[in-house]
Amino acid sequence: MSYGKTLLLYIIFAFSFNSIRAQEAGRSSKYFFLDYIVTQNGDTIYGAVKEELLKTYLLKMEEDKVGAFTRYEADKLKGYRYNGYVTTNKEPKDGIYTGLNAKKDSSGGNEDDYLVKNNDTIYGDVYNPFLGSRYIISKQGKKIKFKGEVGLVYKTGQYIYEYRDKPKVETLDSKEDWLLLLYKGKDLKLYGYATGHQGTCYFIEKDKEMHLLRMDEDWLKLLGRIFIDKPDVLNYFKSGFLDFENIYLAVRYYDEHSN
């Protein structure tokens, strides 16, 4: 083969390879804010992960014209990300995936429990007994009890809680409580909160104002007001691809990617 033909084939191959890489990079950039699953073959599929009973998870694909779900059993996946938590499976020698292990995908590598009080951080093991006050056993072996007080923060396992002022979710609800920190961004925070009657709801803190989102109210309209400066955030919700369960994805998209 002549040098000219060889050079031409190399150029064609390089162009095709770079085009494929660019398409893959574009797809990853487009879908980076979504959740995903990792199949046994190592394929990463982006979409909206849903939870069901019996360790079953759902992935709704954007390409599904009829809004169908594809069901995957968690113990048959290498892993998945759901609302900011990456769950991975350990693979025994027989090839069966067991031992689900959840980890915050933005935990910063700090695996220790801690309590933040008066700007001091105490590391150790945090306990939340069914009866009695929460407490931490410090690295030095000291037991320190703590109750709800605005400004307190503690981490237990992969979960971070902040004691915050908040709007009341229902009549008998408190104006202060422990909130689960789901996302901390440059311009806003997202908290999860559960009550006996309303179930799970969310709080979005933006511009020092706390907004309550409940499933039984017009939460999409409220999201539109919160994200009025970046309306493209709601495109996936208006199309029906994402719903109340995926508000975490909207917050992350707003903070990291939208124009």
Side-chain angles (χ1 to χ4, degrees):
M1 181 180 294
S2 68
Y3 172 77
K5 290 183 177 179
T6 302
L7 179 60
L8 179 61
L9 288 175
Y10 173 79
I11 292 174
I12 294 174
F13 172 78
F15 177 79
S16 300
F17 178 77
N18 289 332
S19 297
I20 293 172
R21 288 287 298 275
Q23 291 174 3
E24 292 178 347
R27 181 177 177 85
S28 297
S29 175
K30 180 180 179 182
Y31 296 143
F32 90 98
F33 74 96
L34 295 174
D35 285 330
Y36 59 76
I37 64 167
V38 182
T39 66
Q40 291 185 12
N41 296 328
D43 295 328
T44 301
I45 306 174
Y46 290 88
V49 175
K50 310 286 183 178
E51 284 189 323
E52 282 190 338
L53 297 176
L54 304 176
K55 299 290 185 180
T56 300
Y57 294 80
L58 310 177
L59 183 78
K60 185 175 182 182
M61 298 303 297
E62 184 181 25
E63 290 80 5
D64 290 340
K65 302 300 182 182
V66 296
F69 290 94
T70 303
R71 284 174 167 80
Y72 298 87
E73 293 184 14
D75 58 2
K76 294 182 180 178
L77 296 171
K78 281 191 173 181
Y80 56 89
R81 183 175 71 191
Y82 172 68
N83 280 352
Y85 290 89
V86 176
T87 299
T88 55
N89 265 315
K90 297 180 180 179
E91 183 180 6
K93 294 181 180 179
D94 58 6
I96 299 176
Y97 292 95
T98 58
L100 294 171
N101 180 34
K103 181 178 181 181
K104 198 82 170 67
D105 67 351
S106 58
S107 61
N110 185 2
E111 300 296 333
D112 293 328
D113 290 356
Y114 59 74
L115 169 67
V116 180
K117 183 176 182 179
N118 299 326
N119 294 321
D120 291 329
T121 303
I122 304 168
Y123 293 95
D125 295 307
V126 173
Y127 298 89
N128 184 13
F130 183 74
L131 297 175
S133 300
R134 295 171 174 82
Y135 63 92
I136 183 171
I137 303 295
S138 70
K139 294 288 187 180
Q140 294 73 33
K142 184 178 180 180
K143 181 178 180 179
I144 303 172
K145 294 183 179 181
F146 60 95
K147 296 182 179 180
E149 179 182 335
V150 174
L152 286 184
V153 179
Y154 76 89
K155 174 179 176 291
T156 176
Q158 300 301 323
Y159 303 101
I160 297 174
Y161 293 88
E162 297 182 2
Y163 200 85
R164 296 294 309 272
D165 293 316
K166 64 172 185 61
K168 295 178 68 172
V169 176
E170 53 194 16
T171 303
L172 299 180
D173 190 27
S174 171
K175 293 183 178 180
E176 300 174 351
D177 210 337
W178 292 104
L179 304 181
L180 174 62
L181 179 63
L182 297 175
Y183 183 87
K184 181 179 180 180
K186 300 184 293 292
D187 302 311
L188 73 173
K189 288 183 178 181
L190 174 68
Y191 298 96
Y193 185 69
T195 67
H197 295 89
Q198 296 298 333
T200 300
C201 58
Y202 296 100
F203 292 100
I204 295 178
E205 184 182 33
K206 182 173 180 282
D207 299 326
K208 297 183 180 181
E209 183 177 357
M210 193 77 85
H211 304 272
L212 167 64
L213 292 94
R214 291 176 19 174
M215 185 183 295
D216 61 338
E217 297 181 345
D218 195 348
W219 56 269
L220 186 56
K221 184 177 181 179
L222 178 56
L223 275 183
R225 293 201 299 267
I226 297 173
F227 299 144
I228 192 171
D229 54 332
K230 298 181 180 180
D232 59 311
V233 170
L234 301 184
N235 290 344
Y236 284 97
F237 287 90
K238 292 178 179 178
S239 69
F241 176 52
L242 301 178
D243 57 27
F244 185 79
E245 187 177 355
N246 308 117
I247 286 177
Y248 166 87
L249 300 180
V251 172
R252 184 180 180 191
Y253 184 72
Y254 173 91
D255 189 60
E256 298 182 14
H257 188 67
S258 60
N259 297 317

